[in-house]
Amino acid sequence: MTGTMDVAGITRMSAVVDGPAAVVFRAACPDCRASFELDASAIRLAIGGSRRTTFYSFTCPECEAAVRKPAGERIVELLTGGGVRTLRLHQTV
């Protein structure tokens, strides 16, 4: 593994596997406390109009709990740079 970066409970790791670097994220479940690696397709990022409405989420592969954690600017950079799909939330007038 190369290119490890750890920010507030999520770690981005790059690994070279026959071609372009594959990005995996190390995360942990607050329910069962398991630590594991997820690829970008297993994580969702929602960007809202405030800090309270910007978060990332995933399903724990150990206990299947739905996990939702706040995402500050650095987490957003880390996840979008790693190919995580992003949903932009818009306010209605």
Side-chain angles (χ1 to χ4, degrees):
M1 295 283 166
T2 61
T4 302
M5 193 178 312
D6 187 15
V7 179
I10 192 157
T11 304
R12 175 180 159 183
M13 299 164 31
S14 299
V16 178
V17 183
D18 289 337
V23 177
V24 293
F25 297 90
R26 186 174 297 150
C29 177
D31 289 350
C32 71
R33 300 202 182 274
S35 292
F36 40 83
E37 293 179 357
L38 299 169
D39 62 28
S41 66
I43 303 171
R44 299 290 178 270
L45 173 64
I47 299 176
S50 71
R51 295 174 107 188
R52 289 186 2 211
T53 57
T54 300
F55 60 91
Y56 66 97
S57 62
F58 57 88
T59 300
C60 174
E62 298 294 322
C63 70
E64 298 185 0
V67 178
R68 178 177 163 164
K69 295 185 176 186
E73 284 182 39
R74 188 65 188 123
I75 293 286
V76 170
E77 262 182 55
L78 187 67
L79 295 175
T80 56
V84 171
R85 284 185 269 176
T86 304
L87 172 65
R88 296 206 178 263
L89 305 175
H90 298 280
Q91 275 186 303
T92 57
V93 179

